[in-house]
Amino acid sequence: MVSRVIPVDDFDLVIFGGTGDLARRKILPGLYRRFCAGQMPETARIIGAARSEHDTEEFRQLVRDAIREFSTKNTCDEGQIGAFLERLDYVQVDARGSDGWDALKEMMRDGVVKAYYFSVAPSLFGDIAERLQSYGIADESARIVVEKPFGRDLDSAKKLNADLAKHFDETQIYRIDHYLGKETVQNLMAVRFGNILFEPLWNSQYVDHIQITVAETVGVGGRGEYYDRSGAMRDMVQNHLMQLLCLIAMEPPSRFDPDAVRDEKLKVIRALEPVDHHSIVRGQYEATATEPSYREDAGDPRSTTESFIALRCMISNWRWAGTPFFLRTGKKLKARTSEIAVMFKDAPHSIFGEEAGRHANVLSIRLQPNEGMTLKVTIKEPGPGGMRLVDVPLDMSFAEALGDDAEEITDAYERLIMDVIRGNQTLFMRGDEVEAAWAWTDPLIESWEKRGDMPKAYEAYSSGPEEAAMMLHREGRRWREIKE
Ligand code: BG6
């Protein structure tokens, strides 16, 4: 199978925060891979913009180092790195002052797509947006890309939206949630809406419950201070897990176009019921013999921030009334894995008798690692001796199905940046979606803060606190094992 590279229009992409961590780890190596894939038009350019003093040569060196360090799918040689670096320029700008803006204006070309990536603290979004307009370098077709965290509650998100809306139309604003750029996440929509097989079963009549797990093995060391102000709820649930929940639960949009998809996602968020405290378990990882505890990583011995959270959510609509959605995410868990599992109900009556046991279908959609899908079906155990049933997986691993091309599964950032250049907002969050997500999240956080609930300690590299297992156990359900 040969992957197709769809050309994009010529562009000037400015990365504010161009020397920062995200630019080095994700954005620039991602652009480099698109360059190698032949997707960057010949005259397209990337301009790093940041506060630090560098000349273009130093910036190129920094990008060369970043590509070597972070570009795992490196299929190009040094010559290609060199050719890519030729496309790069650097300008020193002061986001809050006037330095550098005239120089940036000089660099921007007319008649090409202009995209501005705000890879900076949200407190700078408004200032940069304002300057792009006042220096006349953002026409009606210009796009801005903003990163999470998009606010830390409803009020701050509203303020950010209002600050951006003063200078840019919603059709120009691309709010990134990199989970939406993951290959399997899009495949989820293809599977749901491209096949007739699943849709008739996709409701509370046939689905017992749904589990969404995003487990990481890393701790928060290195970014403890940031993380301690967010916690798993703000860092992962309000955005990534809720986006996954929306895609799995939404009604079929009439078209695969940005507003049709986002309207349906918004309806899901608005239909989410408030979650009471019995349906929330928060945790903090403990120290191991050689590694610090969450509180040590966070630098606060009394921190009450969660590095793990499990929630039981209900969606009040006709399709899902009665089907719980269990969400779980955490740091320093047993394995790095992200999975959505649709747990179907048992067959209503077993014709094979009690001894055949109870069996239920499970559709598991793996985001990482080993992207793919598995459908667990029940068959007869081979051999003589009566009717014994056994569950076997029908496995669709992308790596196997796509052969060599799986190697080339596009990284989320690569895909999303190219969507910005194409002007396709389908995989980006709309302002009202982000606000609705905070409107649901805020009362949950307030309730545990008001109650003074403490996170439960959990052993590092385990499945999280025992209480999370109990939450499902109480109702006769079980989490799926966290494994790669
Ligand atoms: C980020 C969070 O948005 O997503 C991090 O801030 C988290 O805490 C990361 O580690 C996980 O992303 P991925 O793509 O590695 O699953």
Side-chain angles (χ1 to χ4, degrees):
M1 214 182 292
V2 178
S3 40
R4 280 185 307 144
V5 173
I6 300 167
V8 296
D9 291 339
D10 195 6
F11 64 84
D12 280 351
L13 168 66
V14 179
I15 308 172
F16 292 102
T19 54
D21 199 51
L22 183 73
R24 287 176 47 255
R25 277 174 188 278
K26 295 286 183 186
I27 306 173
L28 288 156
L31 284 161
Y32 165 66
R33 286 194 292 272
R34 290 294 87 208
F35 172 82
C36 296
Q39 202 174 20
M40 249 175 91
E42 265 175 24
T43 45
R45 286 179 327 149
I46 299 158
I47 300 163
R51 214 173 23 183
S52 39
E53 195 181 333
H54 289 296
D55 58 24
T56 294
E57 268 326 300
E58 285 165 351
F59 179 59
R60 289 180 179 172
Q61 187 53 44
L62 179 142
V63 177
R64 184 192 292 276
D65 294 343
I67 291 172
R68 287 195 185 129
E69 189 174 351
F70 298 112
S71 193
T72 45
K73 291 175 233 164
N74 184 357
T75 49
C76 331
D77 54 30
E78 284 294 316
Q80 272 185 294
I81 297 185
F84 172 71
L85 296 179
E86 299 272 295
R87 310 296 192 83
L88 267 53
D89 282 310
Y90 183 79
V91 57
Q92 186 182 1
V93 286
D94 177 1
R96 292 217 158 103
S98 54
D99 288 354
W101 288 92
D102 284 324
L104 178 59
K105 185 176 174 151
E106 281 289 291
M107 287 182 180
M108 300 305 289
R109 293 175 297 161
D110 286 330
V112 299
V113 173
K114 293 186 189 62
Y116 298 97
Y117 200 126
F118 293 16
S119 179
V120 293
S123 55
L124 296 175
F125 289 179
D127 291 314
I128 297 178
E130 194 265 310
R131 280 163 182 71
L132 289 174
Q133 291 299 355
S134 60
Y135 281 85
I137 44 177
D139 53 25
E140 278 170 12
S141 65
R143 287 133 215 195
I144 59 171
V145 186
V146 292
E147 268 293 335
K148 72 175 266 271
F150 199 83
R152 58 173 280 109
D153 53 20
L154 179 58
D155 287 346
S156 52
K158 276 189 172 162
K159 178 161 183 335
L160 282 178
N161 274 335
D163 284 349
L164 296 179
K166 275 188 221 152
H167 309 287
F168 290 91
D169 187 74
E170 182 63 33
T171 54
Q172 299 178 280
I173 305 172
Y174 291 70
R175 294 177 195 77
I176 284 212
D177 182 313
H178 77 280
Y179 267 58
L180 289 179
K182 290 188 189 269
E183 183 71 22
T184 318
V185 172
Q186 289 168 73
N187 232 319
L188 172 59
M189 287 190 272
V191 165
R192 271 197 72 190
F193 306 127
N195 296 286
I196 199 160
L197 202 61
F198 298 109
E199 199 49 31
L201 305 179
W202 213 260
N203 56 53
S204 59
Q205 199 182 340
Y206 297 103
V207 177
D208 178 71
H209 71 280
I210 291 181
Q211 298 188 11
I212 302 179
T213 299
V214 178
E216 298 182 273
T217 48
V218 290
V220 301
R223 60 202 282 265
E225 208 184 306
Y226 152 78
Y227 190 91
D228 204 47
R229 275 180 275 120
S230 310
M233 186 71 181
R234 288 190 171 96
D235 186 50
M236 297 293 287
V237 177
Q238 186 272 345
N239 35 76
H240 305 326
L241 276 84
M242 280 192 72
Q243 290 296 321
L244 300 181
L245 172 76
C246 286
L247 296 178
I248 200 100
M250 72 184 185
E251 294 301 314
S254 56
R255 295 173 310 281
F256 189 58
D257 88 9
D259 279 329
V261 171
R262 297 185 300 178
D263 287 346
E264 294 306 334
K265 282 162 55 196
L266 181 62
K267 286 186 207 158
V268 174
I269 306 177
R270 291 196 172 144
L272 275 169
E273 291 179 11
V275 181
D276 82 74
H277 68 274
H278 298 295
S279 301
I280 304 177
V281 175
R282 297 187 310 128
Q284 282 178 339
Y285 56 80
E286 294 173 320
T288 67
T290 51
E291 294 173 17
S293 65
Y294 171 74
R295 288 178 170 191
E296 286 164 315
D297 273 342
D300 176 359
R302 285 203 299 272
S303 168
T304 58
T305 304
E306 71 286 351
S307 60
F308 172 97
I309 189 164
L311 302 160
R312 180 187 195 276
C313 311
M314 299 298 292
I315 299 174
S316 306
N317 62 20
W318 273 49
R319 186 188 283 267
W320 294 118
T323 297
F325 286 69
F326 296 100
L327 314 186
R328 160 178 74 155
T329 183
K331 305 279 184 197
K332 279 220 185 170
L333 295 177
K334 204 162 154 186
R336 176 172 187 257
T337 176
S338 300
E339 179 200 69
I340 303 170
V342 182
M343 317 289 287
F344 289 94
K345 292 186 174 170
D346 291 353
H349 162 70
S350 170
I351 63 167
F352 306 110
E354 277 309 303
E355 60 282 11
R358 300 194 71 77
H359 298 267
N361 301 118
V362 177
L363 176 68
S364 121
I365 302 146
R366 289 187 311 278
L367 269 58
Q368 57 197 21
N370 318 321
E371 292 101 332
M373 302 200 192
T374 307
L375 179 64
K376 195 180 83 177
V377 291
T378 303
I379 58 161
K380 177 189 167 300
E381 200 177 300
M387 194 58 128
R388 293 184 309 274
L389 300 186
V390 59
D391 294 331
V392 294
L394 285 183
D395 214 336
M396 213 283 274
S397 143
F398 294 164
E400 280 166 29
L402 303 179
D404 290 346
D405 280 359
E407 268 293 293
E408 289 170 27
I409 285 182
T410 318
D411 175 82
Y413 277 91
E414 294 173 49
R415 166 173 296 117
L416 294 174
I417 297 170
M418 288 300 122
D419 277 358
V420 173
I421 307 297
R422 281 194 203 98
N424 183 346
Q425 289 186 305
T426 313
L427 299 176
F428 296 83
M429 292 180 296
R430 212 168 49 191
D432 52 1
E433 255 186 277
V434 179
E435 290 184 12
W438 281 120
W440 177 77
T441 310
D442 279 0
L444 270 63
I445 298 178
E446 274 159 28
S447 90
W448 74 61
E449 283 179 351
K450 222 184 266 161
R451 295 168 50 83
D453 285 348
M454 294 301 289
K456 318 280 183 227
Y458 63 93
E459 196 185 325
Y461 307 113
S462 68
S463 302
E466 192 49 31
E467 287 78 356
M470 291 301 299
M471 184 166 83
L472 270 72
H473 193 68
R474 285 200 298 266
E475 46 191 74
R477 297 182 168 113
R478 237 173 350 123
W479 287 108
R480 283 165 62 80
E481 198 189 335
I482 295 180
K483 61 172 189 220
E484 281 196 8

